[in-house]
Amino acid sequence: TSPVANGRSETQISDVAGRDGPEGVAVEPARDAWGSKIQYLLAQVGFSVGLGNVWRFPYLCHLNGGGAFVLLYVLLLVVVGIPLFFLELAAGQCIQQGSIGVWKTISPKLVGIGYSSCVVCFFVALYYNVIIAWSLFYLGSSFQYPLPWEECPEPVNNQTVKECTGSSPTTYFWFRKTLDITDSIDETGQLNPIMTGCLLAAWAIVCLAMIKGIKSSGKVMYFSSIFPYVVLLCFLIRGLLLDGAAEGIIYMFYPKLELWGNVQVWRQAATQVFFALGLGFGSIIAYSSYNPRRNNCHRDALMVSFINFFTSVFATLVVFAVLGFRAKNIAKECVLSNLKLLSQLSDVELEQNPFSPQFNIFEPSSVSLEEYREWFLRNGSGVPVNVTDCNPEDEMKKGAEGTGLAFITFTQAMSLFPASPFWSALFFLMLLNLGLSTMFGTMQGILTPLMDNFKSLMRHKTILTVGSCTVGFLIGLMFTQRCGNYFVTMFDDYSATLPLIIVVIFETLSVAWIYGADRFLDDIENMLQWRPPAVYRIIWKYISLLAMVGLLGASLLQMLFKRPTYVAWNREEATEVRLEYPGWALGVLTILIVIASLPIPLGVLHSLLRSWLGAAPTWGANAERETYTKCSSVDLDSVPVDTREEGGDGESPGAERCRLLAREDEAEEATTEV
């Protein structure tokens, strides 16, 4: 057994208390723990399976070669995603701390990694809750018949609303009724009162769920994590019964392997793996830190990663079954429009023209889409009117992602369903649950590290939670302006991407090279009582690290050589246009990236300055040697309370778990453990 189990070293970490101190000294609360393994798994699945699985993965799959993209995604998931996911799970479970405490424990120079994770989580929480607010608004609007986005507004003084007739009812409802959006990010506009109220409601829900900690939010996960699968199954069954669903699915998964030669396809697949699993946020570490130390985190990593991938493919089937139905309906409307043009020709013109169709153009219901397209491809150009090809694939090629997929394209398809309000309410309730389950994990990535590192915050958990949510709401008001959607896009594209990649690079570097991959595998072996495959050592040290550095380089090059742009809504033309960010907006997104990444070098600089100035670090008694921690196999929950209290006040649960080891002590430690 590890020597830590038999006694304490002078250099043990004094961190989270949770035991009785001297008389008159307040007792610090112990850390929470999961009520059951099911709660923990649902929480991890709920965090990793989010809105991106429903509206980002299908778009990327469609854009980058269908089945070929799925194969590439699986490859990168196996060689990069799962190993890094396992690394974060094992680190949190071994050290029993949030992201700040974990990296501070491994080496004080690395404490900035945890702070960067917290900053990124905060940035993401700011705009993610706005998406939840949108879902709340659409959910409330779904309890109407007919749905408010099924038709354009009634004409006023016999004048139709040009913005609606020039686009579509769903597009008009999204941009004008929901967002009341401006034409560019430069035009701010006043606050949208309805969206402000919905944002307040979203933060209130999150705050109430987080106040009582993981046990409370873990119970919420029973519903918020499982319900989306029930809805997706209902949509899949309903979608497969729709005309055009099969064509949509076939179009989706037809592999275009030639796209593997495109570097951007690899970059987008790696980015999707990265964000789908939630790497770098600190939420994975926070959730796993509440586990008992004997928990099989390796099996958890494989299980959660598979469920995440299965959900992405499952959602893609649903999306393209419904979009196939939508595309076929649009093609049929196109046929009716063209038949109407043909019917305006005189009987003489129709009889004398050898290219006239043989089917009855005066009975549109008798003309199938296939018949029309067969005639058009052979003879369509020979008639004297301007008829068009009605190809469903042309509609399928108009890929939509993110809010465009959820709030416009998919919403338009649902309006064609029988009992459309029911399906609409079901869909937006699913989006609400997906968003909330991810939001709970994001907030844990902020609150857990802060409470673990600052004991006064642990004693005032409710104040910290309410304060964080209040600050989040107040800053989030910038997203409820009329131009707020453009800021959501900016935060989504730039506030998290580069900083998170940098965070994960330093995480991998610190474990694989600074602490040592072999030593980390030893810790996992002590913890699980079996040693993970040696291939993880190679993956962590070389493959994953090089892949993340390559992804960072590709992302930086794209930003440098292609000026960042965003999609804006032009009210006069009733269409979307792509605009370049103005100079001040580029300054804002640069500041976001710098703020999120800055804690990493500051942490290193702070540690070096303390060493140069001869200050004794608070993390150990010996400041003159480079130290690392060795995790014990002892589970705090299995140690009698009396035994825990013998060490005096101020010692932490981490003290039973970790001992600081000097480099020169490694050989002796290894011999002792054998």
Side-chain angles (χ1 to χ4, degrees), residues 62 239-252 316-332 369 391-397 405 409-410 413 416-417:
H62 167 233
L240 291 176
L241 298 176
L242 297 171
D243 185 24
E247 290 90 335
I249 293 173
I250 292 171
Y251 178 84
M252 177 66 249
T316 301
L317 284 172
V318 173
V319 167
F320 277 86
V322 174
L323 293 187
F325 162 71
R326 171 181 171 272
K328 197 156 189 178
N329 267 276
I330 292 175
K332 288 180 177 178
L369 175 61
N391 188 356
E393 284 195 10
D394 291 340
E395 286 299 323
M396 296 296 295
K397 288 177 182 177
L405 175 62
T409 309
F410 207 87
L416 302 174
F417 286 12

Coordinates of all heavy atoms in Angstrom, one line a residue, residues 62 239-252 316-332 369 391-397 405 409-410 413 416-417:
H62 N -23.2 17.3 -42.7 CA -23.8 17.6 -44.0 C -22.8 18.4 -44.9 O -22.6 18.1 -46.1 CB -25.1 18.4 -43.8 CG -25.6 19.1 -45.0 ND1 -25.8 20.4 -45.1 CD2 -25.9 18.6 -46.3 CE1 -26.3 20.8 -46.3 NE2 -26.3 19.7 -47.0
G239 N -40.7 11.3 -37.9 CA -40.0 11.7 -39.1 C -39.9 10.6 -40.2 O -40.0 10.9 -41.4
L240 N -39.6 9.4 -39.7 CA -39.5 8.3 -40.7 C -40.8 8.0 -41.4 O -40.8 7.3 -42.5 CB -39.0 7.0 -40.0 CG -37.6 7.1 -39.4 CD1 -37.2 5.8 -38.7 CD2 -36.6 7.3 -40.6
L241 N -41.9 8.4 -40.9 CA -43.2 8.2 -41.5 C -43.5 9.3 -42.5 O -44.6 9.2 -43.2 CB -44.3 8.1 -40.4 CG -44.2 7.0 -39.4 CD1 -45.3 7.1 -38.4 CD2 -44.3 5.6 -40.1
L242 N -42.7 10.3 -42.6 CA -43.0 11.4 -43.5 C -42.4 11.2 -44.9 O -41.4 10.5 -45.1 CB -42.3 12.7 -42.9 CG -42.8 13.2 -41.5 CD1 -41.9 14.3 -41.0 CD2 -44.3 13.6 -41.6
D243 N -43.1 11.8 -45.8 CA -42.7 11.6 -47.2 C -41.4 12.5 -47.4 O -41.4 13.7 -47.2 CB -43.8 12.2 -48.2 CG -43.5 12.0 -49.6 OD1 -42.6 11.1 -49.9 OD2 -44.0 12.7 -50.5
G244 N -40.3 11.8 -47.9 CA -39.1 12.5 -48.1 C -38.0 12.2 -47.1 O -36.9 12.6 -47.2
A245 N -38.4 11.5 -46.0 CA -37.5 11.3 -44.9 C -36.3 10.4 -45.4 O -35.1 10.6 -45.0 CB -38.2 10.6 -43.7
A246 N -36.6 9.3 -46.1 CA -35.6 8.4 -46.6 C -34.6 9.1 -47.5 O -33.4 8.9 -47.3 CB -36.3 7.3 -47.4
E247 N -35.1 10.0 -48.4 CA -34.2 10.7 -49.2 C -33.2 11.6 -48.4 O -32.1 11.8 -48.7 CB -35.0 11.6 -50.2 CG -35.7 10.8 -51.3 CD -37.1 10.4 -50.9 OE1 -37.3 10.3 -49.7 OE2 -37.9 10.2 -51.8
G248 N -33.8 12.2 -47.3 CA -33.0 13.1 -46.5 C -31.9 12.3 -45.8 O -30.7 12.8 -45.7
I249 N -32.2 11.1 -45.3 CA -31.2 10.3 -44.6 C -30.1 9.8 -45.6 O -28.9 9.8 -45.2 CB -31.9 9.2 -43.8 CG1 -32.7 9.7 -42.7 CG2 -30.9 8.2 -43.3 CD1 -33.6 8.7 -42.0
I250 N -30.6 9.4 -46.7 CA -29.6 8.9 -47.7 C -28.7 10.0 -48.2 O -27.4 9.8 -48.3 CB -30.3 8.3 -49.0 CG1 -31.1 7.0 -48.6 CG2 -29.4 8.0 -50.1 CD1 -32.0 6.5 -49.7
Y251 N -29.2 11.2 -48.4 CA -28.4 12.3 -48.7 C -27.4 12.6 -47.6 O -26.2 13.0 -47.9 CB -29.3 13.5 -49.0 CG -28.5 14.8 -49.4 CD1 -28.1 15.0 -50.7 CD2 -28.2 15.7 -48.4 CE1 -27.3 16.1 -51.0 CE2 -27.4 16.8 -48.7 CZ -27.0 17.0 -50.0 OH -26.3 18.2 -50.4
M252 N -27.8 12.5 -46.4 CA -27.0 12.8 -45.3 C -25.8 11.9 -45.2 O -24.6 12.4 -45.0 CB -27.8 12.7 -44.0 CG -27.1 12.9 -42.7 SD -26.6 14.6 -42.6 CE -24.8 14.4 -42.7
T316 N -28.7 13.5 -35.8 CA -28.5 13.8 -37.2 C -29.6 13.0 -38.0 O -30.1 13.6 -39.0 CB -27.1 13.3 -37.6 OG1 -26.1 14.1 -36.9 CG2 -26.9 13.6 -39.1
L317 N -29.9 11.8 -37.6 CA -30.9 11.0 -38.3 C -32.3 11.8 -38.2 O -33.0 11.9 -39.2 CB -31.1 9.7 -37.6 CG -30.0 8.6 -38.0 CD1 -30.2 7.4 -37.1 CD2 -30.1 8.2 -39.5
V318 N -32.6 12.3 -37.0 CA -33.8 13.0 -36.8 C -33.9 14.3 -37.6 O -34.8 14.5 -38.3 CB -34.0 13.4 -35.3 CG1 -35.2 14.3 -35.1 CG2 -34.1 12.1 -34.4
V319 N -32.8 15.1 -37.6 CA -32.7 16.3 -38.3 C -32.9 16.1 -39.8 O -33.7 16.8 -40.4 CB -31.4 17.1 -38.0 CG1 -31.2 18.2 -39.0 CG2 -31.4 17.6 -36.5
F320 N -32.2 15.2 -40.4 CA -32.3 15.0 -41.8 C -33.5 14.3 -42.3 O -33.9 14.4 -43.4 CB -31.0 14.4 -42.3 CG -29.9 15.5 -42.5 CD1 -29.1 15.9 -41.4 CD2 -29.8 16.2 -43.7 CE1 -28.2 16.9 -41.6 CE2 -28.9 17.2 -43.8 CZ -28.1 17.5 -42.8
A321 N -34.1 13.5 -41.4 CA -35.4 12.9 -41.8 C -36.4 14.0 -41.9 O -37.2 14.1 -42.9 CB -35.9 11.9 -40.7
V322 N -36.4 15.0 -40.9 CA -37.4 16.1 -41.0 C -37.0 17.0 -42.1 O -37.9 17.5 -42.8 CB -37.4 16.8 -39.6 CG1 -38.2 18.0 -39.7 CG2 -37.9 15.9 -38.5
L323 N -35.7 17.3 -42.3 CA -35.3 18.2 -43.4 C -35.6 17.6 -44.7 O -35.9 18.4 -45.7 CB -33.9 18.6 -43.2 CG -33.5 19.5 -42.0 CD1 -32.1 19.9 -42.1 CD2 -34.4 20.7 -41.8
G324 N -35.5 16.3 -44.8 CA -35.9 15.6 -46.1 C -37.3 15.9 -46.4 O -37.7 16.1 -47.6
F325 N -38.2 15.8 -45.4 CA -39.6 16.0 -45.6 C -39.8 17.5 -46.0 O -40.6 17.8 -46.9 CB -40.3 15.7 -44.2 CG -41.7 16.3 -44.1 CD1 -42.7 15.8 -44.8 CD2 -41.9 17.3 -43.2 CE1 -44.0 16.4 -44.7 CE2 -43.2 17.9 -43.0 CZ -44.2 17.4 -43.8
R326 N -39.1 18.4 -45.3 CA -39.3 19.8 -45.6 C -38.9 20.1 -47.1 O -39.5 20.8 -47.8 CB -38.5 20.6 -44.7 CG -38.3 22.1 -45.0 CD -37.5 22.8 -44.0 NE -37.2 24.2 -44.5 CZ -36.1 24.5 -45.2 NH1 -35.3 23.6 -45.7 NH2 -35.9 25.8 -45.6
A327 N -37.7 19.5 -47.5 CA -37.2 19.7 -48.8 C -38.2 19.2 -49.9 O -38.4 19.9 -50.9 CB -35.9 19.1 -49.0
K328 N -38.8 18.1 -49.6 CA -39.8 17.5 -50.6 C -41.0 18.4 -50.7 O -41.6 18.5 -51.8 CB -40.1 16.1 -50.2 CG -40.7 15.3 -51.4 CD -40.6 13.8 -51.3 CE -41.0 13.1 -52.6 NZ -40.8 11.7 -52.5
N329 N -41.5 18.9 -49.5 CA -42.6 19.8 -49.6 C -42.3 21.1 -50.4 O -43.2 21.5 -51.1 CB -43.0 20.2 -48.1 CG -44.1 19.2 -47.6 OD1 -45.3 19.4 -47.8 ND2 -43.6 18.2 -46.9
I330 N -41.2 21.6 -50.2 CA -40.8 22.8 -50.9 C -40.7 22.5 -52.4 O -41.1 23.3 -53.3 CB -39.4 23.4 -50.4 CG1 -39.6 23.9 -49.0 CG2 -38.9 24.5 -51.4 CD1 -38.3 24.4 -48.4
A331 N -40.2 21.3 -52.8 CA -40.1 20.9 -54.2 C -41.5 20.7 -54.8 O -41.8 21.1 -55.9 CB -39.3 19.6 -54.3
K332 N -42.4 20.2 -54.0 CA -43.8 20.0 -54.5 C -44.5 21.4 -54.7 O -45.2 21.6 -55.7 CB -44.6 19.2 -53.5 CG -44.3 17.7 -53.4 CD -45.1 17.0 -52.4 CE -44.8 15.5 -52.4 NZ -45.6 14.7 -51.4
L369 N -43.9 14.6 -58.3 CA -42.6 15.3 -58.4 C -41.6 14.6 -59.4 O -41.0 15.3 -60.2 CB -41.9 15.4 -57.0 CG -40.5 16.0 -56.9 CD1 -40.5 17.4 -57.4 CD2 -40.0 15.9 -55.5
N391 N -35.7 20.4 -57.5 CA -34.9 19.3 -57.0 C -34.8 19.4 -55.5 O -34.3 20.4 -54.9 CB -33.5 19.4 -57.6 CG -32.6 18.2 -57.2 OD1 -33.0 17.4 -56.5 ND2 -31.4 18.2 -57.8
P392 N -35.3 18.4 -54.7 CA -35.2 18.5 -53.3 C -33.8 18.6 -52.7 O -33.5 19.2 -51.7 CB -35.9 17.1 -52.8 CG -36.7 16.7 -54.0 CD -36.0 17.2 -55.2
E393 N -32.8 18.0 -53.5 CA -31.4 18.1 -53.1 C -30.9 19.5 -53.0 O -30.0 19.8 -52.2 CB -30.5 17.2 -54.0 CG -30.7 15.8 -53.8 CD -29.5 15.0 -54.4 OE1 -28.6 15.6 -54.9 OE2 -29.6 13.7 -54.5
D394 N -31.5 20.4 -53.9 CA -31.0 21.8 -53.8 C -31.4 22.4 -52.5 O -30.6 23.2 -51.9 CB -31.7 22.6 -54.9 CG -31.2 22.2 -56.3 OD1 -30.1 21.6 -56.4 OD2 -31.8 22.4 -57.3
E395 N -32.5 22.0 -51.9 CA -32.9 22.5 -50.6 C -32.0 21.9 -49.5 O -31.7 22.5 -48.5 CB -34.4 22.2 -50.3 CG -35.3 23.1 -51.1 CD -35.2 24.6 -50.7 OE1 -34.9 24.9 -49.5 OE2 -35.3 25.4 -51.6
M396 N -31.7 20.6 -49.7 CA -30.9 19.9 -48.7 C -29.5 20.5 -48.7 O -28.8 20.5 -47.6 CB -30.8 18.4 -49.0 CG -32.1 17.7 -48.9 SD -32.8 17.6 -47.2 CE -31.6 16.7 -46.4
K397 N -29.0 21.0 -49.8 CA -27.7 21.6 -49.8 C -27.6 22.9 -49.1 O -26.5 23.4 -48.8 CB -27.2 21.8 -51.3 CG -26.9 20.5 -52.0 CD -26.6 20.8 -53.5 CE -26.3 19.5 -54.2 NZ -26.1 19.7 -55.7
L405 N -30.8 26.5 -37.7 CA -31.4 25.2 -37.9 C -32.6 25.1 -36.9 O -33.6 24.6 -37.3 CB -30.3 24.1 -37.6 CG -30.8 22.7 -37.6 CD1 -31.4 22.3 -38.9 CD2 -29.7 21.7 -37.2
T409 N -35.2 26.7 -39.7 CA -35.4 25.6 -40.6 C -36.2 24.5 -40.0 O -37.2 24.0 -40.6 CB -34.0 25.0 -41.1 OG1 -33.2 26.1 -41.6 CG2 -34.2 24.0 -42.2
F410 N -35.8 24.0 -38.8 CA -36.6 22.9 -38.2 C -38.0 23.4 -37.8 O -38.9 22.6 -37.8 CB -35.8 22.4 -37.0 CG -36.0 21.0 -36.6 CD1 -35.3 20.0 -37.2 CD2 -37.0 20.7 -35.7 CE1 -35.5 18.7 -36.9 CE2 -37.2 19.3 -35.4 CZ -36.5 18.3 -36.0
A413 N -40.2 23.2 -40.7 CA -40.6 21.8 -41.0 C -41.7 21.4 -40.0 O -42.7 20.7 -40.4 CB -39.4 20.9 -40.9
L416 N -45.4 22.2 -40.6 CA -46.1 21.3 -41.6 C -46.6 20.1 -41.0 O -47.4 19.4 -41.7 CB -45.1 21.0 -42.8 CG -44.5 22.2 -43.5 CD1 -43.4 21.7 -44.5 CD2 -45.5 23.0 -44.2
F417 N -46.3 19.7 -39.8 CA -46.8 18.5 -39.1 C -48.2 18.7 -38.8 O -48.7 19.8 -38.4 CB -46.0 18.3 -37.8 CG -44.6 17.7 -38.0 CD1 -44.0 17.7 -39.2 CD2 -43.9 17.2 -36.9 CE1 -42.7 17.3 -39.4 CE2 -42.6 16.8 -37.1 CZ -42.0 16.8 -38.3

